[in-house]
Amino acid sequence: MTVPNTPPDPARADGPVEPGAAPDPFAPPPVLDGEPPAGLPEAPPVVAHRLPAELRIGSGVVLACLLVGLVTAGLWAWLAPKVPLVVDGDRILYVDPEGEQRAGADAVFVLIGLGAGILTALGAFLVTRKRGGGIAVALGLVIGGLLGSIGAWRIGRWLGPGDDLIGEARRVGNGGHFDASIDLGALGALLVWPMAAMVVLLALSAAFGKREEDPPPYWGVPAGTYGDPAGQAPEAAGQVPPEVPPVVPSAEDRRPG
């Protein structure tokens, strides 16, 4: 005598099935090669496969910012106001002692950095919009913007007038004029590019970014209604319910009483 709801013996379940025997209701479902058993959730995607893609995107954003930094350096060396100097005997004097050329150079660098931040953030958003952006884009803009600002500062100083005042004074002679080298008086201007890029990226992501679908409301049709696991009616799921055949009265029912 067997107790009801007793699981089958594994030794018997693994043995050959006799021909004509009824299937065992307690036998586990067969498992195909490469497919998980029915009812079990699929394995989550491996995070290691996404890491190289994120690194490629982040490094690409940094490289693009460095290229923009070269253009920024040239613009700053060209547009920054120069400080004129004059040689008076053995002295080097300012032509305009009350001039604001030093502050103007900082202002020009800030404006160029602001434009570079907007440009790089807009380009990174448009390129990565379909994939939904990601932390790699934000980190790439921050790191690339900071490196691009530092590179623009250093290269701009190299492209501008030289900083060898004694050599320039000897070259032009007594009473000659030349320009002093350009430089940043406030190093905080280096942060304008990455900060502007982050603000623009957040604004674009909030306004035009990829959005996830809203979950169904809790008062919706419960799952399993109408035989559809998604809770949809047969007509909505593309299924047509079977038609009920009409009832035909028999001969006895048609016989008059």
Side-chain angles (χ1 to χ4, degrees):
M1 180 177 181
T2 305
V3 180
N5 298 332
T6 301
D9 188 3
R12 296 179 56 187
D14 297 338
V17 181
E18 298 179 0
D24 189 359
F26 299 101
V31 180
L32 302 178
D33 295 339
E35 296 183 3
L40 295 180
E42 297 181 358
V46 182
V47 182
H49 294 294
R50 292 182 54 87
L51 187 58
E54 296 293 330
L55 290 178
R56 288 195 300 269
I57 293 174
S59 59
V61 173
V62 172
L63 181 60
C65 291
L66 293 179
L67 295 178
V68 176
L70 297 177
V71 181
T72 303
L75 289 176
W76 184 51
W78 177 38
L79 298 176
K82 309 302 186 296
V83 179
L85 302 176
V86 61
V87 179
D88 184 14
D90 57 350
R91 298 179 302 174
I92 301 176
L93 304 177
Y94 289 103
V95 175
D96 185 9
E98 298 181 358
E100 299 293 337
Q101 290 85 359
R102 294 289 186 185
D106 291 0
V108 171
F109 190 89
V110 168
L111 293 177
I112 295 177
L114 182 61
I118 296 175
L119 179 63
T120 52
L122 181 60
F125 174 77
L126 293 178
V127 172
T128 61
R129 182 181 180 182
K130 293 183 178 180
R131 67 182 300 274
I135 189 64
V137 179
L139 289 178
L141 286 176
V142 172
I143 298 174
L146 184 58
L147 294 179
S149 294
I150 296 176
W153 171 41
R154 295 293 185 178
I155 298 175
R157 290 182 57 187
W158 177 71
L159 293 176
D163 55 356
D164 185 7
L165 298 182
I166 304 299
E168 291 292 330
R170 290 175 179 176
R171 184 182 62 84
V172 298
N174 187 20
H177 293 74
F178 64 96
D179 295 331
S181 61
I182 59 175
D183 200 356
L184 284 179
L187 296 181
L190 299 174
L191 302 178
V192 173
W193 183 344
M195 293 176 62
M198 288 303 302
V199 171
V200 174
L201 179 64
L202 291 177
L204 292 175
S205 300
F208 309 103
K210 183 179 180 181
R211 302 181 183 274
E212 297 181 357
E213 297 182 0
D214 296 334
Y218 65 90
W219 61 82
V221 182
T225 308
Y226 302 110
D228 181 51
Q232 299 178 354
E235 294 80 359
Q239 303 176 0
V240 180
E243 298 181 358
V244 180
V247 179
V248 180
S250 59
E252 295 181 358
D253 296 338
R254 293 195 302 267
R255 182 180 303 172

